[in-house]
Amino acid sequence: MSAILPPSERVWWKQPLDRVELIWIVIALVWCLIMFFMMPYWHVYGKQNLANEAFRTTPAEFLKKTEAMIAQHKVREEGAQGQKVPVVAPPAGSDVYLVARLWQWYPILELESGKSYRIHLMSMDWLHGFSLQPENINIEVHPGYDHVLTVTPTHKGTYSIICNEYCGINHHTMISKLYVK
Amino acid sequence: MAINRNFRTCPSSGLVFHEPAEKLIRWNAVVAVVFLLVGGILAIGVTLTRWQAVHMLDASAFYQVLTAHGLNMLVFWIIFFEIAVLYFASSTLLRCRLATPGMAWTGFWLMILGALMNNYSVIRGDSSVMFTSYAPMGAHPTFYLGLILFAVGALIACFVFFGTLVVAKNERTYVGSVSLVTFGAITAAIIAVFTIASGAIILIPTLLWSLGLIEHIDSLMYRTIWWGFGHSSQQINVAAHVALWYAGAAIVFGAKPMSEKVSRAAFLLYILFLQLASAHHLLADPGLTSNWKIFNTSYAMYLAVLASMVHGLTVPGSIEVAQRLKGYNNGLFEWLRKAPWGNPAFAGIFLSIIIFGFLGGISGVMMGTEQLNLIIHNTIYVPGHFHATVATGTTLAFMAVTYFLIPTLFRRKIMFEPLAKYQPYLFGIGMAGVSLFMMGAGTLGVPRRHWDISFAGNVFGYEFPGAAWLMMGLTGVSALIAFAGGALYLAITVGSVFFGQKIETPGFKHVSAREGVGAVPAAAPDTPGAHAGIGAWGMVAPGTFVLALVFLASFVLYYFVNWKYLSTVWPLK
């Protein structure tokens, strides 16, 4: 009986299955398990994992920490006249704060290649998307959640941070630089 | 109580239609196609803007059109058609009357009202919040209210479907178990109830928030619950179009499932595990642990992926067996070479299976792998993935089934039949190009939902590699091919339904339910060993097995290529 008619055997669950199906189910199951174990495996042996570290906080408090960091480690300013953004060069291993807000990343970071930094990401208003190009590392940025990532830049150069979570009419203008020395 | 118990038997297919059900199926399908038309027109605006050389719309219009395109395609077109499929799989396939047609019409009108209201809010211009409408970005209250009304209507339709199953059981219109296609439709309806419940849990508070009655909606809570609605609604599609794959194989080839046990167990795995996939969207979010992410996005160890891989084998496998029994038993692929490639119902289903599996399935697993998601999240790879699953997998399967429904349900001949032969190829191949090139651009970092990747006039501008621009251009070209296929589909279906040559049913008369249903055919037991003498290597479907191994090899290769790529980006912990 075809698939649009009731099964011919009332007790259909006792129908034997063909060899082709059995072999395929075994192969597919083994492959599925390999894919499953790849994720914990990478947590142990791989180098690219997101931390479980995140804190609830308020935009005001996060901004205060950011301003304190800027006051301490600011090296220069960049950007168009009237919209200058500070560039900060925080010491290796320190806590680095990056604010996402409509429609700006604040401040610009200058990091050292081969050194690790604890980067804190948070939004002041809506959702934003941290997208580091051309590395192509992409992380969701929430308001109220301070997301901590320990990052180690591997190559010197000028990188761009673009926003890849739609955040309103000027979403496409939300872009910034990140320098690795 | 007077209940309309009129039935008609379709002379070409032998299907028994309950007239009130038939009318509902027709109208749900017609409205679905209208939303497909709207969504299709909007698609031009989206694709021709993202093709940077054309860059058609301004920013505000682009985000507005993109919002409307997503909603009309992902929600309204698909759900209306799915309701038609549910009524068909219950009332028609079980040869019974539809439970409470009045309630079904209430659901239908609620869905229409909701869809219109939601579109109205987007047209207003203050609700360009995308399909996802992530709080705390707010839309006009009618945006949420429209979706809620639509969902209530769809929920009513699901319960009419469940009620019809009870009617069929009580009135004994079939013997033994329901057909496999109905089983698949039940899977879709169960997932739909879960989906709509998640939608209610998040959209009702968001509506109250947009009215100022609730002060705060947490962005992470919103995303977590919303995806229980947003992604699960796509799982309804998967269950529904897999059911239609089986239906297509049965209608075109008279194929029977290779093993009822295997196919039904695979549907059962969908019910149990497919919903967990909603967590895919939260892999790059703070505040959720890796354990939670790994367990959920692996659908509890990829048991739902296993189910899809099983369907991917058993549907073409059942076609192969049917073809071999017809005598196309030479070599590995004679059954496939001599398949009716000029029949749009078959071509559509087959392309849907292949493109859904190779492009949609494999890319879905990549995005859903916790660490690989880092190099994919929110890039245009994501729409690349779901244009392979929803636009080709689901939409093309629905289109294919329409070619069968027009003569049986609307009793009209297909118009422009020579063109109809090419329609699935135009749409399927065009859409496969759209998916593939978007995935390519996403791999190079191009963001989704972005008006201008040239960052013109910005002091901090970034220049994407030339290959990314090329990919976006090729996406545009492919989209135009797919659009031609979609326009052809609309011309054929609308033309046939309204102006097609009528198919007269000789001796057509209304009869009462019991007589109309006729004697329930006694299930003919299978002759044991009926498959003896076909196939090779002790397998009844060796050709399909070879195809499945090709699929597996591409899957494994692409999976590890992505891990290799991930290992080159900055260390992160």
Side-chain angles (χ1 to χ4, degrees), chain B residues 35 38-39 42 67-78 119:
Chain B
F35 282 109
V38 174
L42 294 165
T67 303
H69 169 67
L71 286 157
N72 283 302
M73 289 302 210
L74 283 171
V75 185
F76 307 137
W77 139 247
I78 287 197
N119 269 297

Side-chain angles (χ1 to χ4, degrees), chain A residues 1-10 12-21 23-25 27-29 31-40 42-43 47-52 54 56 78-80 85 108 111 125-127 129 131-140 142-143 145-155 159-160 162-178 180, chain B residues 59-60 63 93 128 130 134 136-137 174-181 218-220 223 246 250 255-262 264 283-290 294 298 301-302 306 309-310 313-314 365 369-371 374-379 442-445 447 449-452 455 458-462 464 523-524 526 537-541 545 548 552 555-556 559-560 563 565-567 569-573:
Chain A
M1 289 279 180
S2 80
I4 53 171
L5 295 169
S8 48
E9 309 278 337
R10 250 194 111 100
W12 50 263
W13 54 91
K14 286 197 178 158
Q15 234 182 331
L17 62 165
D18 188 73
R19 182 194 262 182
V20 66
E21 287 180 295
I23 296 175
W24 180 245
I25 291 170
I27 294 174
L29 183 63
W31 172 237
C32 287
L33 290 175
I34 291 172
M35 290 197 295
F36 176 71
F37 286 112
M38 247 339 257
M39 290 190 277
W42 201 262
H43 271 280
K47 291 206 176 101
Q48 292 81 11
N49 292 290
L50 276 185
N52 289 324
R56 292 229 57 160
E78 276 186 20
V85 183
I108 294 173
L111 310 176
D125 32 59
W126 294 349
L127 283 173
S131 177
L132 184 73
Q133 298 300 335
E135 276 302 289
N136 204 11
I137 293 174
N138 306 283
I139 294 160
E140 192 80 24
H142 281 261
Y145 292 84
D146 172 353
H147 194 182
V148 189
L149 320 158
T150 305
V151 178
T152 317
T154 49
H155 295 286
Y159 295 84
S160 285
I162 61 177
C163 177
N164 71 1
E165 182 61 84
Y166 171 67
C167 57
I169 184 71
N170 285 326
H171 162 56
H172 47 272
T173 63
M174 187 167 162
I175 177 168
S176 176
K177 294 280 179 207
L178 186 147
V180 180
Chain B
S60 133
Y63 292 128
L93 291 185
S128 302
M130 303 292 145
Y134 290 137
M137 182 195 292
Y174 63 95
V175 270
S177 303
V178 298
S179 73
L180 180 60
V181 173
D218 183 84
S219 61
L220 184 60
R223 267 171 66 80
Y246 282 111
K256 66 187 282 285
M258 294 180 79
S259 146
E260 295 275 355
K261 176 165 59 179
V262 171
R264 283 169 200 245
L283 288 174
D285 287 42
L288 301 162
T289 67
S290 290
I294 292 176
S298 67
M301 295 200 272
Y302 290 113
L306 176 68
M309 286 172 80
V310 167
L313 177 91
T314 56
V365 171
T369 303
E370 196 206 2
Q371 295 91 345
L374 271 175
I375 51 174
I376 295 174
H377 184 74
N378 271 354
T379 64
T443 307
L444 296 167
R449 298 172 167 178
H450 201 280
W451 177 64
D452 183 17
F455 304 100
N458 196 309
V459 277
F460 298 125
Y462 171 67
F464 276 103
D526 269 349
W537 314 326
M539 292 176 180
V540 290
F545 188 68
L552 184 74
F555 198 166
V556 173
Y559 185 70
F560 287 111
W563 281 106
Y565 172 28
L566 177 74
S567 73
V569 309
W570 291 2
L572 206 69
K573 58 180 192 261

Side-chain angles (χ1 to χ4, degrees), chain B residues 399 423 426-432 434 477-487:
Chain B
M399 286 175 168
Q423 189 275 330
L426 265 182
F427 184 81
I429 292 167
M431 214 36 112
V434 170
V477 174
S478 311
L480 291 181
I481 298 172
F483 183 78

